[in-house]
Amino acid sequence: MSAGVGVDLENLWIRFGDFVAVRDANVNINGGDFFSFLGPSGCGKTTILRAVSGFLEPSEGNVLIGGKNMRGIGPNKRPTALIFQNLALFPLMKVWENITFSMEIKGASSAERRKRADELLDMIALPEQGDKLPSELSGGQRQRVAIARALCAEPDVLLLDEPLSALDLKLRQHMRTELREIQKRVGITFIYITHDQGEALTMSDNIAVMRAGVIDQIANGKTIYNDPNTAFAASFVGENNVFRGKVKQVMGNEALIATNRSGDLVARISTTNQGKMKEGDDAMMFVRPEAFAIAPDGASGDHFVTARVNHEEFEGNAFNIFTEGEGGKEIKVSIPNHGQSFDDHTGQNITLEYETHNAVIVPAGELAAE
Amino acid sequence: MNNSFLRISIWVYLVLFFLYLLGPLVIMSITAFNSSGFPRMSPWECLTFQWFGELFQDQRILNGIKNSLIIGLGTVVLSVAMGLAGALMLTQIWPKLRATYYTVIIAPILIPGVVLGISTLVFWDRINRMLGLGADSFLSNGIFLTVIGQSTFIASYCMLVLVARLQRYDMALTEAALDLGATHAQAFRKILLPFMRPAIASAAVLAFLASFENYNTTTFTFGEYPTLTIELAQKVRYGITPAISALAFIIVALTVFFALLNEAKLKRQELVAAARKNATVEELAGKIKLPSFFAGNMAAVLLVVFAIATITVVGTATAYDPGQCIADVREQKQLEAEQRIQELRKQREERREQREAEEAEQGGAQSTPKPSNNSGFGNVFAPNSLGGDEGESDDGSSDADPAPSNNSGFGNVFDPNSLQNDE
Ligand SMILES: Nc1ncnc2c1ncn2[C@@H]1O[C@H](COP(=O)(O)OP(=O)(O)OP(=O)(O)O)[C@@H](O)[C@H]1O
Ligand SMILES: [Mg+2]
């Protein structure tokens, strides 16, 4: 899997005037990986990508592509191709001219270009659409043309800046699979930017979670989902219920938290924070909606929570229960639907239970905005 | 009722408006075909194409056209280049400076052309002297100065046109080209320039027309290379001939031609685009089935009609010989003139007889002395002297006849009979 060309960011800082857009980013991207930067809007994802593609010189630190320092090398000399957030297809050129623009630059003949364009059009499943103008294509087709145009340049690293954000949900889900397949076929490194955690989780080998210029966590999707190392990562990736409190007692890899809302609860300390948390620290405990189960009434202990049900909804694959939580927030509970009978609890107090290894404790910190 | 009144008013208004707008041009064009020596529509004398011939034999006009064309081309190149540079600069410049920069670069449009002309002349003259060059150096060449002078404000027009298009340009396109390996020059040439092409064409046409019709600035800078407008202005000072109408007609015809051509082209593009939208894949890949040039293209039809009309007119012009007509008219005129002379003679004869009779009656009773210089005055304003060319010499001699007395001239002027017998 490491046949392709890797990308490394070393102590990367990017400033615009006084504003720090990227703060000390250190990332190692393996060759041939599908790597995602995941973060909310404005956190600096595009900025990092522009630094990799060469449109922006880092204020400090280095970008290495295939181990080679890229400082001072312009975008037209780097082995990268960027798929722009708005695609940036050339509106006056036909599809085939768009796709083979990189060959035109190198002086390839028209016949060669047409041949290559036809190959690529076949690959992106748009055969014989080469003579159309970009404006005559649908959004998804344009998307694929942009990919073909970038691939035609035979880059070692393909950079994609939220390429699916303009598409409707169905097409987006379809393109996810397609992109992943294309990546496997061509075998080059993909660096993918998104604020959609679903996209990041489904496609990526590894994900970097970004928050306001800082990279919080780099890991594969499963780790990020199950073992987030910051409050932000825990709350940004997937749905999560938060319980604030103070560490009361550390017991190996687990800790007892005195929560503001539900008394003392026990949970696993997230891997990277193990050994770093001590008694009296502000902490947050996260429990996923699907990690809760309804316990018999009256049960109590350090992994039980009682709450009053506000409302319930049926989502098809699950029943969702929303209960009163801390500070006006709701606790969401998701019970998988196996066809069992389901009582309406609205207005009642229920007791919820979780298994301690399914709840995770991180140091208190900033949460992702809703 | 009310509605139809409104509609009629609108039509009347439109007719008046177009009469006002196009009337002078139409009349001037018609006078180009009248053989009368002064450009006029009536009385209509003969259909003639002689004024076109005369126009093309007028060395000064031809030279003016040549200079105008050279200067126009120079101005187009310089203005479009400067306008494009200015427009690009506007998109690159620090946003806070943008408004100021815009004002500065638009300012020349607001400055009177006269001022631009004088300042161009003065400025380059200084430079010329500073470099120690003579009066015949390149820097004091009329073509150079005029191109520079006109471009100072025409470039601003061009910039306005170009900025409008550039604002719709997505800078990411240039970045995309760079990202795909293009150099900056290639990105400019292959992406930005094609995008700007329509605006550049508009700017070029605008620049050429503005240069061609410019007088205010050029009048200070033309040196030894008078443009057409300068030549026309100088000509008009010495009297206007239908040759100028012929020139006006040619310009109007060319304008109409190019307007129609442009319209036809636009319409055609529209139709092709519409056809592409509906075309199947095979049609796109193979030969696009274009709609025939004329289908639904009014402008194209008009264009063809116009071309046929032009060919007819030119054909007629080569075949048609107005010689006979002109000779007839001349003969007619001569006859009329002679007739008038005869009449005048007769009148004068009668008057003299009358006067002699009166003098004989009153003897030398004339009391008021007349200053002698009155007689000259009298001659000039004598209504008879306006009567006709041929009449004048005759008039003079008839005036001279009774010359012994100074009174006679004066008498002619105030003679009530002479007023009555004006014709
Ligand atoms: N040229 C610039 N000058 C000043 N600030 C900039 C510039 N480019 C980006 N920024 C700032 O840097 C921050 C990060 O911008 P960036 O475009 O990287 O966000 P992003 O993560 O790609 O967001 P989105 O998901 O909305 O595209 C933003 O706060 C933005 O305002
Ligand atoms: Mg972005």
Side-chain angles (χ1 to χ4, degrees):
Chain A
M1 243 290 152
S2 62
V5 171
V7 176
D8 300 298
L9 310 181
E10 293 179 348
N11 307 325
L12 192 75
W13 289 74
I14 297 170
R15 299 189 183 86
F16 298 110
D18 292 337
F19 178 76
V20 182
V22 176
R23 188 183 300 267
D24 198 21
N26 281 287
V27 184
N28 303 311
I29 301 170
N30 298 327
D33 254 14
F34 196 118
F35 189 95
S36 293
F37 283 94
L38 172 64
S41 182
C43 71
K45 307 179 298 286
T46 299
T47 305
I48 286 194
L49 214 59
R50 290 175 68 78
V52 173
S53 56
F55 290 113
L56 226 158
E57 274 295 321
S59 311
E60 270 174 55
N62 296 309
V63 173
L64 278 67
I65 299 179
K68 197 165 152 242
N69 195 333
M70 286 289 133
R71 187 165 283 277
I73 297 179
N76 45 5
K77 297 273 173 347
R78 296 193 183 191
T80 58
L82 174 60
I83 293 176
F84 288 75
Q85 206 156 355
N86 65 354
L87 304 186
L89 293 177
F90 306 130
L92 301 179
M93 292 186 190
K94 290 182 180 162
V95 165
W96 74 271
E97 292 170 315
N98 256 289
I99 291 180
T100 56
F101 182 80
S102 53
M103 297 170 73
E104 188 192 348
I105 291 302
K106 293 187 194 119
S109 76
S110 177
E112 280 175 84
R113 292 174 60 199
R114 271 224 97 110
K115 190 161 161 282
R116 180 85 179 114
D118 286 341
E119 286 168 20
L120 284 163
L121 282 169
D122 279 343
M123 191 191 92
I124 58 170
L126 280 181
E128 300 182 29
Q129 305 276 324
D131 281 292
K132 287 193 173 174
L133 289 170
S135 58
E136 293 164 349
L137 297 178
S138 74
Q141 291 174 329
R142 251 176 263 171
Q143 187 64 59
R144 282 180 275 177
V145 171
I147 294 168
R149 182 179 72 175
L151 291 176
C152 183
E154 298 182 340
D156 293 328
V157 180
L158 188 68
L159 310 169
L160 304 97
D161 191 353
E162 306 200 35
L164 307 186
S165 56
L167 305 182
D168 62 60
L169 183 68
K170 259 245 152 64
L171 196 53
R172 201 152 64 212
Q173 280 167 345
H174 170 73
M175 286 303 294
R176 277 183 198 174
T177 349
E178 204 155 314
L179 267 180
R180 186 67 175 145
E181 264 168 27
I182 289 174
Q183 194 261 342
K184 287 212 172 105
R185 213 175 316 155
V186 294
I188 61 172
T189 313
F190 273 40
I191 301 182
Y192 189 90
I193 277 188
T194 180
H195 59 248
D196 179 335
Q197 36 108 9
E199 274 177 26
L201 291 174
T202 47
M203 293 192 283
S204 319
D205 293 314
N206 282 301
I207 300 171
V209 180
M210 275 189 84
R211 163 179 56 101
V214 181
I215 294 176
D216 266 9
Q217 186 169 17
I218 303 173
N220 63 36
K222 206 172 151 204
T223 308
I224 285 186
Y225 192 83
N226 291 331
D227 195 17
N229 63 359
T230 63
F232 178 83
S235 54
F236 187 72
V237 182
E239 288 178 298
N240 233 336
N241 299 304
V242 62
F243 295 83
R244 294 161 204 262
K246 276 189 185 337
V247 179
K248 197 167 179 185
Q249 191 189 346
V250 178
M251 309 153 291
N253 291 341
E254 294 191 341
L256 188 66
I257 307 278
T259 64
N260 303 344
R261 181 191 178 281
S262 310
D264 295 353
L265 294 175
V266 75
R268 175 175 57 89
I269 301 175
S270 76
T271 314
T272 46
N273 294 305
Q274 284 169 11
K276 293 180 194 159
M277 299 195 73
K278 52 189 192 305
E279 282 168 34
D281 283 358
D282 284 329
M284 286 178 172
M285 188 186 93
F286 289 91
V287 186
R288 299 263 177 210
E290 66 272 18
F292 276 123
I294 298 174
D297 283 339
S300 69
D302 56 12
H303 58 284
F304 291 95
V305 174
T306 29
R308 201 182 131 81
V309 176
N310 282 343
H311 62 103
E312 294 181 344
E313 64 186 26
F314 174 61
E315 210 193 332
N317 59 348
F319 301 95
N320 295 326
I321 308 170
F322 296 88
T323 75
E324 278 172 358
E326 183 189 329
K329 282 196 170 178
E330 289 186 322
I331 296 171
K332 182 179 176 186
V333 177
S334 200
I335 311 287
N337 176 16
H338 313 296
Q340 78 270 42
S341 66
F342 193 75
D343 303 331
D344 187 356
H345 303 93
T346 307
Q348 300 169 13
N349 274 323
I350 55 168
T351 306
L352 301 169
E353 97 182 279
Y354 62 86
E355 295 184 33
T356 50
H357 69 263
N358 280 336
V360 64
I361 292 171
V362 297
E366 187 191 330
L367 296 179
E370 291 290 290
Chain B
M1 175 66 200
N2 211 350
N3 210 351
S4 70
F5 175 74
L6 191 72
R7 199 166 318 145
I8 290 171
S9 323
I10 288 177
W11 276 108
V12 168
Y13 169 76
L14 277 181
V15 168
L16 284 179
F17 180 71
F18 280 107
L19 265 183
Y20 160 71
L21 213 61
L22 304 177
L25 291 178
V26 171
I27 288 178
M28 186 149 190
S29 301
I30 292 175
T31 63
F33 297 96
N34 191 352
S35 67
S36 159
F38 184 79
R40 60 178 159 204
M41 214 165 77
S42 74
W44 183 262
E45 290 179 5
C46 295
L47 176 67
T48 179
F49 297 94
Q50 77 186 89
W51 304 117
F52 289 87
E54 221 157 88
L55 175 70
F56 290 115
Q57 265 146 34
D58 189 327
Q59 249 0 84
R60 291 184 57 187
I61 292 276
L62 290 183
N63 195 41
I65 293 177
K66 193 185 86 191
N67 288 337
S68 278
L69 288 179
I70 294 173
I71 287 169
L73 286 182
T75 306
V76 164
V77 171
L78 189 61
S79 300
V80 170
M82 290 204 301
L84 186 57
L88 286 174
M89 187 76 184
L90 188 67
T91 60
Q92 303 290 318
I93 205 168
W94 199 37
K96 277 184 188 164
L97 273 180
R98 212 165 275 171
T100 320
Y101 173 81
Y102 190 76
T103 314
V104 168
I105 215 139
I106 288 307
I109 293 180
L110 306 174
I111 298 175
V114 176
V115 175
L116 291 177
I118 296 174
S119 53
T120 303
L121 191 63
V122 170
F123 177 78
W124 289 98
D125 183 56
R126 286 290 115 193
I127 299 247
N128 203 27
R129 274 180 211 198
M130 249 164 55
L131 297 176
L133 298 171
D136 54 349
S137 76
F138 178 70
L139 293 187
S140 49
N141 176 297
I143 291 184
F144 170 78
L145 284 180
T146 308
V147 167
I148 293 267
Q150 291 184 348
S151 296
T152 48
F153 70 97
I154 293 178
S156 299
Y157 285 125
C158 291
M159 197 197 75
L160 283 184
V161 173
L162 295 170
V163 157
R165 176 108 182 138
L166 200 58
Q167 268 166 353
R168 286 194 284 138
Y169 181 71
D170 180 6
M171 281 300 163
L173 294 180
T174 297
E175 291 194 340
L178 290 178
D179 191 61
L180 293 167
T183 61
H184 283 272
Q186 279 172 321
F188 179 76
R189 210 177 62 239
K190 288 180 189 289
I191 308 295
L192 182 60
L193 222 45
F195 179 84
M196 294 299 292
R197 193 162 292 146
I200 289 177
S202 311
V205 170
L206 186 79
F208 184 80
L209 293 180
S211 164
F212 200 81
E213 61 111 52
N214 182 269
Y215 180 77
N216 294 354
T217 306
T218 314
T219 191
F220 293 97
T221 53
F222 69 89
E224 291 174 355
Y225 298 91
T227 61
L228 183 62
T229 46
I230 300 283
E231 283 293 8
L232 286 180
Q234 286 181 353
K235 252 185 160 7
V236 168
R237 226 178 281 165
Y238 299 112
I240 177 169
T241 77
I244 290 171
S245 300
L247 181 66
F249 176 76
I250 291 175
I251 291 175
V252 168
L254 284 178
T255 311
V256 171
F257 174 76
F258 282 113
L260 280 177
L261 188 68
N262 190 40
E263 192 62 25
K265 243 178 79 182
L266 285 182
K267 186 79 192 167
R268 197 187 114 102
Q269 276 168 3
E270 238 169 66
L271 291 172
V272 170
R276 279 184 71 88
K277 275 254 160 66
N278 304 328
T280 59
V281 171
E282 300 91 77
E283 277 175 329
L284 279 174
K287 10 183 189 322
I288 302 165
K289 211 179 102 259
L290 289 182
S292 96
F293 187 69
F294 301 115
N297 195 341
M298 191 62 187
V301 176
L302 279 179
L303 188 67
V304 171
V305 170
F306 185 81
I308 291 173
T310 312
I311 292 169
T312 320
V313 168
V314 172
T316 323
T318 46
Y320 172 75
D321 179 20
Q324 187 53 47
C325 170
I326 288 174
D328 287 352
V329 167
R330 194 173 297 149
E331 211 169 294
Q332 183 76 24
K333 270 187 185 169
Q334 221 152 3
L335 277 177
E336 275 172 20
E338 256 160 43
Q339 216 171 341
R340 242 185 13 235
I341 292 163
Q342 295 292 343
E343 267 171 32
L344 285 170
R345 282 220 179 103
K346 231 166 75 193
Q347 281 169 18
R348 216 159 267 143
E349 207 55 34
E350 280 170 10
R351 250 181 310 185
R352 197 162 52 212
E353 277 166 19
Q354 207 181 345
R355 204 160 37 225
E356 272 164 11
E358 276 172 19
E359 265 169 26
E361 256 174 50
Q362 294 182 357
Q366 288 260 8
S367 54
T368 5
K370 304 284 182 314
S372 61
N373 58 353
N374 272 2
S375 81
F377 236 1
N379 268 343
V380 173
F381 288 109
N384 287 343
S385 69
L386 296 175
D389 284 357
E390 281 95 335
E392 203 173 341
S393 62
D394 206 80
D395 194 24
S397 60
S398 66
D399 254 358
D401 275 351
S405 103
N406 290 335
N407 296 348
S408 75
F410 197 70
N412 264 348
V413 175
F414 289 101
D415 190 339
N417 290 335
S418 74
L419 288 175
Q420 273 169 14
N421 302 335
D422 210 8
E423 277 304 291

